[in-house]
Amino acid sequence: MSSTTRKPRLAEVAKLAGVSPGLVSRILNGDPTVRARPETRAAVLSAIEMLNYTPHPSARALRNARTGLLGFALHHVNDPIYAEMVHRAQSAAARRNFSIILLNTAELAERGEAFRNIVLGRRLDGLLIQSGFGAGEDVLHEIARTVPSVVFSANPTPDMRTMRLDDARAAATATQHLIDTGHTSIAYVGAPGVSSERRFEGYRSTLAAAGLPWLPAVNGGWTADEGHEATVRFLGSGAQVTAIVAVTATTALGVHSGIVASGRRIPDDVSLVSVHDTWYARHLNPPMTAVTLPLGDLGALAVAELIDQIDTPRAGETIVADPEPLLVVRGSTKPIQA
Amino acid sequence: MSSTTRKPRLAEVAKLAGVSPGLVSRILNGDPTVRARPETRAAVLSAIEMLNYTPHPSARALRNARTGLLGFALHHVNDPIYAEMVHRAQSAAARRNFSIILLNTAELAERGEAFRNIVLGRRLDGLLIQSGFGAGEDVLHEIARTVPSVVFSANPTPDMRTMRLDDARAAATATQHLIDTGHTSIAYVGAPGVSSERRFEGYRSTLAAAGLPWLPAVNGGWTADEGHEATVRFLGSGAQVTAIVAVTATTALGVHSGIVASGRRIPDDVSLVSVHDTWYARHLNPPMTAVTLPLGDLGALAVAELIDQIDTPRAGETIVADPEPLLVVRGSTKPIQA
DNA sequence: CTGAAAGCGCTTACAG
DNA sequence: CTGAAAGCGCTTACAG
């Protein structure tokens, strides 16, 4: 049982190799000033190997004021869009010997104590923050100013590196597709938070530019269940739209089922476009037309960006990425006069 | 800019309160032998408050040989079932002042180096391991023996605390539902790994017990895309089944779309039951009948169990939880003679 | 070029 | 009951 064997320390490696602890440390960290004889170096390396030595991260962290830990503050880990993002962020971090700690935005925003304990208390090296999904985000932004951070947000936030997602443009792309295929009566199902407001604005302005009427946002929330309820209510109240733009992939799924539950057909009676594409979109019946934003890539990019920032601090508002939204046409939309 | 202000140390709190560092530490940690005068204690507390003091976790970790970090090794964070589990595990951990670090099983199994650096190197206090989904898991089990762990698995693994999911029973419940509603020609769409094999066995034995024929598992993989391809091939090859049991929620979605793509109707031509229920099941068209296993609860429970185990080590194979699979009947199944 | 020593910020036996 | 001191395992200026 190796479970009872204590882990070897640097000093033991040094003793075994017949050198000082300092030298082992220097070799381990690739100190360029080290000019140890090849056989000395080999002895150190083989001692490390022999003892299966691994440096103690807490000791290192204490010395270096670096934990190798990145926090990822999310509203919904179980949102497929962000799950993918987390997944990619984790891989990118691991490749650079960082680890990702999961943080819950709601918990953080609610309990100042949690924020203090976990974010400040853990001495995280950096923070990724999903923003724009609700109230209480001021707290998060405050945190973001005390530690290197990348914020995923529609609004470039002053004094913060933000990874911009062009919400408005994505919604505009979705809306334009519907206009291009002859729809003139188009609704938007949204959710609370700035992100949705921006998408609504993309929807509204695109319709306005085309000289078409727009409707106030139908409040659907960020989940499929909420999207479903909102859609059933909306269509049940006699709304005569021929097309809907949904704020995100989860909500869109609920809108999808809500349209069906209301006894209308997709796309014959109502066309549907989702902002955000995800793995399940193509498996729906009918498959969901969607606007792709490469959030997985952004997750990886944000980690790279964040680690760079930790190494060489830079301040200020920076738009790091701003990918072009891509339309993927599937079965949930069809031209109005077809 | 508080970003430049150094964080206060224990010693500074002590100075401000006019006591020794040791006493502050004792008060902070609720040492029961402390009998400080109320005003002394108050002075300490208010000094902490005033400086917004937070103990340095690396210093503590170094002293206590405890990091407060739990690793969660997963195959697919973006699988909705496990995303939910991670979410709940995170909450449960946060409540006990532990943090969850995301680990990728595939990376761990592939690169021994990653395993060494991250799992041993990080000195994680404990490990949650999703098992049964592929090859190379021996490495994981080896790790699990060196640090307090809880393994999610069908098979209680020797020398490990395992949180058992009764895969076989869940699949049996799904299959029995189909038998009860008159189906006699039922297929199973599976995936690689022990988990799926166990579910297959549940399927097979239930049919056998009913005197009905069973088919070899259709290999669908753990994703919707794979489930889709496998189903299209399977049905395209002229299979005459009237019902399918799918290994998990993601695969089931692909089977769903695969049936539709093959020109058959759900449930009129083919009924479909998913092992595992998830948030999107009810939003499909038609909604998916599923067998619920409370994986979210298990995630939370596993964390509690793990932390207990860290506090008071216990060894050996233990079946920690074994919830009853619950059938949720929705629109994707219907009686054969209806 | 390498070794000895101090110190990162805690906690806790040991004295008093 | 509380303080002074040692030590957790590293890293790195400082000597040599």
Side-chain angles (χ1 to χ4, degrees), chain B residues 135-161:
Chain B
E137 300 201 331
D138 295 351
V139 178
L140 294 175
H141 291 179
E142 213 162 299
I143 302 174
R145 282 201 186 77
T146 68
V147 60
S149 301
V150 172
V151 178
F152 298 97
S153 175
N155 306 354
T157 319
D159 291 343
M160 269 181 247
R161 288 183 90 65

Side-chain angles (χ1 to χ4, degrees), chain A residues 66-70 88-100 125 299-311 314, chain B residues 107 111 113-114 117-118 122:
Chain A
R66 284 285 192 93
T67 54
L69 259 24
L70 265 27
R88 295 286 304 281
Q90 188 277 325
S91 296
R95 217 168 299 125
R96 293 148 180 264
N97 288 317
F98 277 78
S99 295
I100 297 250
D125 287 344
L301 201 60
V303 165
E305 186 62 35
L306 183 54
I307 293 176
D308 278 4
Q309 194 185 156
I310 292 167
D311 288 335
R314 273 158 290 162
Chain B
E107 284 173 12
R111 309 191 300 137
E113 181 206 350
N117 290 343
I118 297 184
R122 277 249 175 261

